[in-house]
Amino acid sequence: MGNQLPSNCHVIASAHYVEPLQAALSGSENVPLVYDALDADAPLDNAIIGDASLVVVEIDTSCSNSLGRISQIRRQRPDLPIIAAIASADVTLVSALLRQGVNDVVSLPFEADELVAQICDISTSAIDSPQPQLAPMTAIVGASGGVGATTVITHLAAALANSDEQSIECCLVDLDMQVGDATQLAGGSAAISVLDLLEGSERLDEDLVRNASMHSSFGFSVLGAPSTITPIEDVQVDELLRMLRLARSAFDHVLLELPGAWTNWSLSAACACDRIILIIDESVTSIRHAKRCLELFEVADIPSDVISIVVNRQNKKLFQAIKPKDIEQTLHREVIGTLPLDKGDLAKAADRNTLIWEENSRSAFGKHIYELAALIAGESGGH
């Protein structure tokens, strides 16, 4: 059986479970397991998760830190096979773990033959049923309220969908559950919201996600926020990540608009993205809020090279006080684009539920949006 095991299968468990297993398999050269002796309530090392082809991880159901290991792994590696190792299991617990994305459950203490057989089965299944390639996912985050993040993301979605270089089927997912109005700015209304999809998660599949999206007249699709104010704590992290994964299977590029108030689930969604674009303006207040966001991302172990800055409403005066280079030096992040201050066309377009190109086809704001879209599409590739 060992010949079927991939390399970098990590067994993460307390030393009193790991050591007997390691001793039992010490003479099996074809069982290339990597052993990580770690207490059940200790945080996982992101480097281990990033390196692993499969993880066997101890879960102590009496400890919240231990239960959070599954969510941590899923945030960093949505498709990584997981075997949960638990000391005592019942049907309810096993079902709950499977709903969280665990592939299988094994009893503690380990039975060496049983564990190797389970790893072989999961590895073989993964080879026979390869995971679909996931589309790039980009989060658009307003550093503070009023910086124009919704305007930017709707125009960016349209620019991606109407690129001259390649045809990109783009989906905008509005996760601003309380005040999100991306659907309205896209010129329509959606019968099914993001929250409706999450509440029906047991029936959720790729076709349902695609059918629930509203296809706008501007060429992109929208999964909209609820039409009524919804308590933001109602969102379950695992259901949300599963829905986003299905959206990435159904479309060529996914854009996320996140709420202004950070929650565990919105931070988990940000962690799952290939790129995070922080929208700021040139005010000291906006830059200060951006710095606080970056500190939060650092605590969440989001790599710094995933995060970049776009300066909205740039006022190109000859002696402007704050320049993009000043912002880069202050925030230690690259400014990948600037969007010029609009003279009123954006407001007119918003009043008519349309985009700026309908008001002014030669708009400087529109030109810069297309340049930003080209940069994102070029760096992320296609579906």
Side-chain angles (χ1 to χ4, degrees):
M1 278 189 282
N3 289 327
Q4 301 177 43
L5 263 65
S7 58
N8 293 333
C9 291
H10 283 256
V11 178
I12 308 169
S14 303
H16 59 274
Y17 291 130
V18 165
E19 290 169 0
L21 175 66
Q22 192 169 7
L25 296 175
S26 60
S28 304
E29 297 180 358
N30 294 325
V31 183
L33 297 181
V34 181
Y35 302 96
D36 302 291
L38 200 64
D39 291 341
D41 60 349
L44 300 180
D45 187 336
N46 285 333
I48 293 175
I49 301 172
D51 174 67
S53 60
L54 178 148
V55 291
V56 181
V57 59
E58 179 185 359
I59 303 295
D60 181 351
T61 56
S62 66
C63 176
S64 59
N65 288 343
S66 186
L67 288 168
R69 286 176 159 185
I70 304 300
S71 297
Q72 179 188 349
I73 295 169
R74 280 288 164 255
R75 284 196 300 270
Q76 187 175 344
R77 296 279 304 279
D79 298 321
L80 181 65
I82 302 173
I83 297 176
I86 50 181
S88 57
D90 55 36
V91 174
T92 302
L93 174 59
V94 171
S95 298
L97 290 171
L98 292 174
R99 283 197 302 272
Q100 290 186 48
V102 167
N103 298 79
D104 206 349
V105 175
V106 65
S107 299
L108 290 172
F110 293 114
E111 290 289 341
D113 291 343
E114 176 189 0
L115 179 61
V116 171
Q118 286 178 276
I119 294 174
C120 286
D121 288 344
I122 291 174
S123 300
T124 302
S125 176
I127 294 172
D128 293 341
S129 304
Q131 295 294 329
Q133 183 181 353
L134 297 180
M137 185 161 67
T138 303
I140 306 296
V141 180
S144 58
V147 295
T150 301
T151 299
V152 171
I153 196 171
T154 49
H155 283 80
L156 188 57
L160 283 169
N162 295 285
S163 169
D164 291 333
E165 300 298 325
Q166 55 182 317
S167 177
I168 298 177
E169 194 173 8
C170 181
C171 181
L172 192 168
V173 182
D174 189 353
L175 295 180
D176 194 346
M177 298 294 180
Q178 296 191 326
V179 296
D181 57 0
T183 304
Q184 287 71 37
L185 287 178
S189 60
I192 301 176
S193 72
V194 166
L195 194 61
D196 294 326
L197 288 176
L198 296 178
E199 289 175 346
S201 60
E202 68 278 357
R203 299 179 291 106
L204 201 57
D205 59 20
E206 186 178 320
D207 289 336
L208 182 57
V209 169
R210 178 179 285 279
N211 292 335
S213 64
M214 180 205 79
H215 190 74
S216 74
S217 60
F218 308 117
F220 62 93
S221 298
V222 183
L223 287 171
S227 58
T228 56
I229 293 178
T230 302
I232 56 177
E233 64 269 17
D234 284 355
V235 178
Q236 298 297 314
V237 172
D238 300 311
E239 294 172 357
L240 174 63
L241 293 178
R242 180 166 172 253
M243 184 201 72
L244 293 177
R245 184 177 179 280
L246 290 169
R248 296 175 71 182
S249 297
F251 297 94
D252 295 332
H253 202 115
V254 174
L255 293 177
L256 294 190
E257 180 168 12
L258 297 174
W262 285 102
T263 63
N264 285 334
W265 61 261
S266 63
L267 188 58
S268 296
C271 289
C273 289
D274 301 288
R275 176 192 277 278
I276 299 172
I277 296 178
L278 201 55
I279 306 295
I280 69 170
D281 59 30
E282 294 174 324
S283 68
V284 173
T285 299
S286 180
I287 295 170
R288 184 168 62 246
H289 282 296
K291 191 170 184 179
R292 293 171 64 188
C293 285
L294 293 172
E295 290 170 351
L296 175 65
F297 295 156
E298 185 176 358
V299 170
D301 290 325
I302 298 176
S304 59
D305 59 358
V306 169
I307 309 160
S308 48
I309 308 294
V310 167
V311 182
N312 193 23
R313 299 171 183 158
Q314 185 190 30
N315 194 355
K316 291 189 176 182
K317 295 180 180 178
L318 183 60
F319 300 107
Q320 65 187 102
I322 300 176
K323 297 180 172 63
K325 285 187 177 180
D326 299 325
I327 295 172
E328 287 185 333
Q329 292 173 358
T330 301
L331 299 179
H332 305 292
R333 294 295 185 280
E334 182 185 7
V335 173
I336 61 167
T338 59
L339 301 171
L341 181 67
D342 179 66
K343 303 300 184 181
D345 290 331
L346 278 173
K348 292 177 185 177
D351 289 340
R352 295 177 52 202
N353 286 337
T354 188
L355 301 181
I356 196 167
W357 300 292
E358 301 297 320
E359 293 294 331
N360 181 0
S361 61
R362 301 177 63 184
S363 160
F365 177 89
K367 176 177 178 291
H368 283 246
I369 282 285
Y370 265 98
E371 291 173 355
L372 179 59
L375 175 65
I376 293 172
E379 290 187 356
S380 61
H383 187 235

